[in-house]
Amino acid sequence: MNARAELTLDPLDWSETLALSHRIVDDAVAFLRDVRDRPVWRDMPIDVRTFFTAQLPRGPEPVAEVYREISENLMPYPMGNIHPRFWSWYMGSSNYTGAMGDFLAAIQGSNLGGGNHAAALMDQQVIGWCKEMVGFPASASGTLVSGGSMANIIGLTVARNVKAGVDVRERGVAAIEKPLRFYASDQIHSCHRKAVEALGLGNQALRRIPSDAGLRIDLVALRAAIAEDRAAGFRPACVIGTAGTVNTGAIDDLQALARLARDEHLWMHVDGCIGALIAIAPENAFRVAGIEQADSLALDPHKWLHVPFEAGCALIRDASAHRNAFAVTPEYLESTPRGLASGDWLNDYGLQTSRGFKALKIWMSLKEHGIEKFGRLIDQNIAQAQYLSDLIEAEPLLELIAPTNINIVCYRYRSPGMNGAEQKSLNSEIMLRLQEEGVAAVSDTTVHGEHCLRAAINNHRTRRDDLELLVRETVRVGKKLIGEGVAN
């Protein structure tokens, strides 16, 4: 009896694969080249939604047909964040070279759990570049992760373990003699609540400190809260500074926060996922002075370095504390003096054992453009936000709701005689109409009790005429809705 033919996933005809690959690259270039000609976002028709309910495929389908289905049902309906008029959330807008990096990383196929291979060295090189960008010492450590939420969890895990007073990895949080307290402003990102819950400390361990008129953490209130907690038998452990709040882009006084942390013997963690990379912007780096003094820092290359999703980074000043928080060495991951296992085990610095090769897309983007250009792009976005603010202030039917700190603009359409609920209804509908018409994507939020629209300009494709269009269209839609009596 003949042996059964052995299977593989490689193509039977590489020439057909090459032809299809050329077509895919042509389409990808056109997709980015012509992005301005498409709507920012559009809703999916029912037949497209139905496509995504198809049953599990049991047999093969020609890959050209697979690509046709993707071309018709996926590519025309993106979230929209690569579009020049996408300002809903703070995401970054990707770049083609970074996308090639993702492709090459997948082709090379390396697992970045560690080991002696080129991808692991590049991973550590990129970490070194991140440290240099924000002024961290070369002796610090770091790890590339999925994004800001995970980067913050990494930093806060190290903070918990260092400040617990017991071997919390061995004995658990129940062995901590005095309950730990972490502090942050009331503008903190929601990922920090998830972090303290996942760390077993509970939401009540994260004490929200009132923010001042500039929406930064109130340092007087912070000192009072620390003293109050100590008197009540808690252990103040960590203060979380924010370099760019999600609502308004406010930046805490990081230099003063660093002094306070030293005085109070607290770990200083900085959530810099929005604004840490302002450190490379020649005109605005002063805004994040003090960030280099943090014990740990979270930042996002997929935001102001515009690499494709996903790419976050956690930096820890004390490399041994970082490794001690995560390292486990089973026999199958022991280092050897030579060979494949003689390199560093990068999984000792985070939660993942298997890790994707995120570094290549960052490396290629930085090599192509250079860090100075990315710094100028950050300055450009901040200048664009100020330009939008000036346009809004010059338009009688619009008003700013919060000061524009960096690149996030909070504004609303106003109509005399409307109460707060009516204003919210009107502006929410403006937001939805702008999205549904494919004109622009903004989000909404509440600042100091006032509902408003929010434009977060984190986009290397945005031009000033896009912002002029946003103002005109907000006014146009607002007038139309008033005429329709939408808010009444």
Side-chain angles (χ1 to χ4, degrees), residues 40 44 97 137 202 205 217 221 245 261 307-308 369 379 382 392 403 465 470:
V40 179
M44 289 171 284
T97 300
I217 191 168
T245 59
V307 301
H369 297 291
D379 282 337
I382 292 174
I392 289 166
D465 56 0
L470 174 63

Side-chain angles (χ1 to χ4, degrees), residues 370-387:
I371 201 63
E372 292 179 359
K373 184 174 182 179
F374 283 103
R376 293 196 301 272
L377 283 169
I378 292 170
D379 282 337
Q380 177 175 287
N381 279 162
I382 292 174
Q384 287 171 336
Q386 189 56 59
Y387 180 67

Side-chain angles (χ1 to χ4, degrees), residues 40-41 79-92 439-442 456-459 462:
V40 179
W41 176 86
M79 185 179 207
N81 49 287
I82 68 167
H83 195 285
R85 293 192 299 277
F86 182 95
W87 308 301
S88 282
W89 298 292
Y90 201 96
M91 291 188 170
V439 172
V442 297
I457 307 172
N458 178 219
N459 195 313
T462 295

